[in-house]
């Protein structure tokens, strides 16, 4: 890919004492992965990524108390519970950073490798005293699974400590990273979050900062340098900034903490006990918070003890549409989360209905691969008029099969993960619904399990289109060679896994299904990233990495 010399591109920046200038964004031409699909992936491997399955990179959470400090709210405990609700978004590492809201020099930090419940015991929570804080749970895509890459990332600037938690992956990180390195600043990690932190330390030349740092202006400047893909929570002293990229690729939402005895009563904003921001709304109820709304694409929200306000909105180019990751609906998000005014469960239900309209089949029973395919299976059953019944029993104490190191162990893992409900299966023609197929390693053993239990026919229905392309925006999807849809057609795959038939939901059908229950559909604002399905990337292909 052509590169240009950006050595002098930072003339419009003032150098902060804590970091160097960051390069302007290199132009990225609209391209598709069909042009050179594997060249970039090999470079991504060099960054230390273990690209062995389809996983979401991470989840972010922030909380701040209202009113006088010190607060009576246990902010650290709230963040911890919020991260537990986001655990499905990342299981490798986690961290929490808190602030008293008075001093700028130091934050209290606790982070490490492992699951949240193992990292944060009572002693750790007690040490994280504060009136505001941010947290992060991580699955690596842009950097290796190491302690040094755990978030939130804390840097000490000329204006005090700054903490950042990031969900997503910078598409043009190479040009930004190269400029930092060429100007003599060493980077201690491969994490995009460190790169973001360094860029936020650079103040735009046209912004006056006589009264201290203008963080909204700095964030805006970073957003003009990096179009995709991120949702951020940024903490400095007594404020938290919630930031979503202009394409709205990664989710982020706002909630308010209400009194415990509020019940279902409507609580005015001025009576809120605090405010929270999260990758998903699924954890709000467990901490006594209520969903308010999504952070809009390009929006910068400032949270303080006085409430929240929108301080800026960075628009994307007029010819570009919103590009919310459609696989948040299909697979990644928890079913009780809210996106675009609708619950994820209802969107998955509609995917099942649409799938039944597109690919009906004569059967006696509709069932699912628990639990990710269950909502779609219910939709399929309702639309087709067939009864729904469980045919698989899941062992909840066996981890996901994609984390095991070889295909043989993955296939053996299925037998440990599921058991067949023989009395529901014997003599039946089964329509089995799942949310997606990545490599195709697990569905074959499941079909064999059902046939061994007495099923006369097994028809596979997938509530999403075939996965054909990698993702460069925060989702860990394997190489094109590993994706089974690039090797076998639906009919060939059915023969390969031993199914009587196999059919996918169409791309058009998926988009139609997720829009069915939206509270509003504005064709100008609406739009989805379907790059892993179509190879059409909203910001073009990322630059090839130099190591």
């Amino acid at each position: 890919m052509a590169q240009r010399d950006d050595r002098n591109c930072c003339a419009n920046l003032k150098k902060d004492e804590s970091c160097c200038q960051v390069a302007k964004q290199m132009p990225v031409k609209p391209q598709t992965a069909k042009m050179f699909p594997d060249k970039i992936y090999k470079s991504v491997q060099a960054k230390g990524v273990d690209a062995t399955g389809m996983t979401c990179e991470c989840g972010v959470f922030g909380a701040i108390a209202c009113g006088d400090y010190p607060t009576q709210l246990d902010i650290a405990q709230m963040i911890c519970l919020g991260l537990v609700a986001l655990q499905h978004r990342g299981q490798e590492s986690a961290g929490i950073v808190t602030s008293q809201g008075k001093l700028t020099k130091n934050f209290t930090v606790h982070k490490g490798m492992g699951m949240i419940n193992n990292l944060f015991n009572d002693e750790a929570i007690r040490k994280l005293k504060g009136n505001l804080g941010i947290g992060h749970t991580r699955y690596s895509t842009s950097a290796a699974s190491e302690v040094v890459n755990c978030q939130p990332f804390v840097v000490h600037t000329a204006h005090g400590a700054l903490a950042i938690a990031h969900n997503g992956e910078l598409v043009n990180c190479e040009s930004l990273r190269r400029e930092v390195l060429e100007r003599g600043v060493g980077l201690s990690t491969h994490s995009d979050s460190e790169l973001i932190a360094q860029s936020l330390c650079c103040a735009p030349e046209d912004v006056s900062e006589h009264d201290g740092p203008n963080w909204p202006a700095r964030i805006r400047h970073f957003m003009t340098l990096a179009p995709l893909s991120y949702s951020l929570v940024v903490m400095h002293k007594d404020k938290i900034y919630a930031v979503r990229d202009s394409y709205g690729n990664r989710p982020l939402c706002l909630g308010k903490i209400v009194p415990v005895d509020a019940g279902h009563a409507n609580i005015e904003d001025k009576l809120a006990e605090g405010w929270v921001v999260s990758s998903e709304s699924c954890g709000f109820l467990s901490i006594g918070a209520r969903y308010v709304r999504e952070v809009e694409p390009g929006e910068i929200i400032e949270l303080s003890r006085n409430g929240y306000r929108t301080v800026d909105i960075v628009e994307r180019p007029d010819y570009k549409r919103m590009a919310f990751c459609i696989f948040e609906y299909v697979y990644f998000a928890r079913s009780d989360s809210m996106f675009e005014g609708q619950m994820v469960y209802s969107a998955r239900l509609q995917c099942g209905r649409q799938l039944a309209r597109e690919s009906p089949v004569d059967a006696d029973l509709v069932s699912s691969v628990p639990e990710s395919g269950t909502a779609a299976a219910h939709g399929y059953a309702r639309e087709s008029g067939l009864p729904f019944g469980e045919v698989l029993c899941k062992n909840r104490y066996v981890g996901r099969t994609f984390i095991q190191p070889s295909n043989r162990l993955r296939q053996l893992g299925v037998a440990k993960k599921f058991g067949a409900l023989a009395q529901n299966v014997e003599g039946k023609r089964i329509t089995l619904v799942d949310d997606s197929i990545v490599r195709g390693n697990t569905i074959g053993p499941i079909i064999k399990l059902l046939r061994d239990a007495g099923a006369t026919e097994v028809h596979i229905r997938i509530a999403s289109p075939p996965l054909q392309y990698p993702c460069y925006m925060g989702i860990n999807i394997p190489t094109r060679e590993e994706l089974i849809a690039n090797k076998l057609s639906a009919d060939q795959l059915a023969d390969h896994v031993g199914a009587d038939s196999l059919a996918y939901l169409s791309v058009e059908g998926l988009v139609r299904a997720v829009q069915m229950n939206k509270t509003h559909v504005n064709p100008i604002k609406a739009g989805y990233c379907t790059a892993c399905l179509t190879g059409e990337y909203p910001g073009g292909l990322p630059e090839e990495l130099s190591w």
Side-chain angles (χ1 to χ4, degrees):
M1 182 176 293
Q3 298 175 350
R4 63 180 177 87
D5 188 359
D6 279 325
R7 294 175 184 270
N8 299 316
C9 71
C10 291
N12 66 328
L13 295 178
K14 295 184 294 186
K15 185 173 182 180
D16 202 355
E17 296 176 19
S18 58
C19 86
C20 84
Q21 287 89 331
V22 180
K24 289 183 178 179
Q25 177 191 346
M26 293 176 63
V28 182
K29 296 180 181 180
Q31 293 168 324
T32 71
K34 300 166 188 175
M35 299 176 65
F36 43 99
D38 302 314
K39 182 180 178 183
I40 293 175
Y41 172 75
K42 293 175 183 176
S43 299
V44 174
Q45 277 187 315
K47 295 176 74 176
V49 180
D50 179 20
T52 57
M54 184 176 64
T55 54
C56 195
E57 184 179 4
C58 46
V60 299
F61 197 92
I64 186 168
C66 291
D68 297 330
Y69 291 167
T71 180
Q72 298 302 308
L73 297 178
D74 192 336
I75 291 296
Q77 186 68 53
M78 284 187 170
I79 297 171
C80 184
L81 290 174
L83 292 179
V84 169
L86 298 176
Q87 186 77 85
H88 58 283
R89 300 187 71 87
Q91 300 87 41
E92 286 188 353
S93 65
I96 294 175
V97 177
T98 58
S99 169
Q100 297 288 351
K102 299 177 181 178
L103 301 175
T104 61
K105 291 185 178 180
N106 294 302
F107 291 153
T108 306
V109 182
H110 185 88
K111 57 184 180 179
M113 304 299 294
M115 304 284 278
I116 293 156
N117 285 334
N118 295 329
L119 284 172
F120 297 99
N121 53 26
D122 290 341
E123 182 181 358
I125 293 297
R126 280 196 298 270
K127 291 180 179 179
L128 286 166
K129 289 187 179 296
N131 300 302
L132 64 156
I134 63 174
H136 186 271
T137 182
R138 181 174 186 268
Y139 184 92
S140 63
T141 62
S142 66
S145 177
E146 300 171 349
V147 173
V148 70
N149 291 314
C150 295
Q151 296 186 44
F153 199 88
V154 180
V155 294
H156 295 275
T157 75
H159 305 288
L162 184 74
I164 295 174
H166 167 227
N167 173 29
E169 191 167 0
L170 299 182
V171 172
N172 68 324
C173 68
E174 173 67 355
S175 61
L176 303 180
R177 187 179 299 276
R178 189 186 307 114
E179 181 66 21
V180 169
L181 295 174
E182 287 180 354
R183 291 181 178 275
V185 174
L187 297 171
S188 59
T189 74
H190 286 298
S191 170
D192 286 349
S193 301
E194 182 182 19
L195 192 57
I196 295 170
Q198 295 287 9
S199 68
L200 291 182
C201 292
C202 300
E205 184 68 31
D206 57 350
V207 175
S208 174
E209 294 192 337
H210 297 300
D211 299 325
N214 186 336
W215 293 111
R218 293 182 180 213
I219 293 170
R220 178 185 179 86
H221 180 69
F222 160 75
M223 295 174 72
T224 62
L225 298 178
L228 288 161
S229 158
Y230 48 86
S231 286
L232 306 174
V233 284
V234 181
M235 182 171 69
H236 180 264
K237 190 181 177 182
D238 59 350
K239 292 183 174 65
I240 294 174
Y241 296 95
V243 185
R244 193 176 179 197
D245 72 56
S246 298
Y247 290 79
N249 185 249
R250 303 257 64 86
L252 196 63
C253 62
L254 180 71
K256 61 181 173 183
I257 303 170
V258 300
V260 175
D261 58 357
H264 293 289
N266 183 31
I267 303 298
E268 296 181 20
D269 288 354
K270 63 181 180 181
L271 299 178
E273 295 184 343
W275 294 89
V276 291
V277 62
S278 176
S279 293
E280 296 181 39
S281 61
C282 54
F284 285 174
L285 287 179
S286 65
I287 62 170
R290 291 184 185 170
Y291 175 82
V292 175
R293 66 174 178 87
E294 290 181 283
V295 178
E296 295 294 329
E299 186 177 17
I300 306 171
I301 292 180
E302 180 186 88
L303 304 174
S304 70
R305 69 170 68 186
N306 299 316
Y308 79 93
R309 66 188 182 101
T310 299
V311 293
D312 206 346
I313 296 179
V314 179
E315 301 287 349
R316 61 185 175 272
D318 292 338
Y319 61 90
K320 292 287 190 178
R321 299 183 66 188
M322 182 178 172
F324 179 55
C325 174
I326 204 162
F327 251 79
E328 291 285 353
Y329 279 119
V330 172
Y331 180 80
F332 299 119
R334 219 171 78 172
S335 295
D336 54 338
S337 290
M338 296 285 292
F339 295 145
E340 302 180 301
Q342 64 178 329
M343 192 167 285
V344 171
Y345 180 89
S346 68
R348 291 175 180 168
L349 198 75
Q350 291 298 334
C351 287
R353 287 186 176 275
Q354 181 66 26
L355 181 60
R357 289 190 285 267
E358 291 183 4
S359 302
V361 64
D362 289 332
D364 302 309
L365 190 70
V366 176
S367 193
S368 68
V369 178
E371 279 113 1
S372 56
T374 301
H378 278 288
Y380 193 101
R382 294 180 191 181
E383 185 68 24
S384 64
L386 297 172
F388 174 88
E390 295 184 10
V391 299
L392 294 170
C393 179
K394 185 176 182 180
N395 181 352
R396 303 177 191 280
Y397 300 98
V398 176
R400 290 184 175 185
T401 53
F402 64 70
I403 66 173
Q404 298 176 357
S406 70
N407 283 349
R408 179 177 180 275
L409 289 180
R410 287 190 194 97
Q411 292 166 355
L412 291 174
V414 172
K416 293 189 301 180
K417 193 171 183 179
F418 295 108
L421 301 175
Q423 290 185 342
N424 293 356
V425 172
E426 189 173 2
K428 299 287 181 63
R429 298 172 298 167
I430 307 296
T431 299
L432 191 68
V433 180
D434 202 359
D435 57 0
S436 58
I437 291 182
V438 184
R439 295 185 188 83
N441 288 329
T442 59
I443 195 67
I446 289 175
I447 294 169
K448 183 179 184 303
L449 194 67
L450 295 177
R451 291 198 186 279
D452 290 346
T456 58
E457 296 179 14
V458 181
H459 301 272
I460 302 300
R461 293 295 180 266
I462 305 301
S464 64
L467 278 164
Q468 296 180 291
Y469 302 95
C471 176
Y472 308 111
M473 291 168 286
I475 304 301
N476 189 6
I477 293 178
T479 62
R480 292 198 66 190
E481 287 86 353
E482 291 181 278
L483 295 170
I484 195 67
N486 289 319
K487 298 178 181 179
L488 303 173
S489 67
D491 291 340
Q492 290 170 332
L493 182 55
D495 291 337
H496 178 70
V497 298
D500 291 279
S501 70
L502 187 147
Y504 296 95
L505 182 63
S506 66
V507 175
E508 297 76 16
L510 175 59
V511 173
R512 188 178 302 114
V514 300
Q515 290 182 332
M516 194 75 68
N517 294 325
K518 285 176 60 173
T519 54
H520 61 277
V521 179
N522 185 331
I524 298 177
K525 293 185 176 181
Y528 300 98
C529 177
T530 59
C532 58
L533 311 173
T534 63
E536 297 173 359
Y537 295 86
L541 284 167
E543 307 152 22
E544 185 177 5
L545 305 186
S546 58
W547 59 82

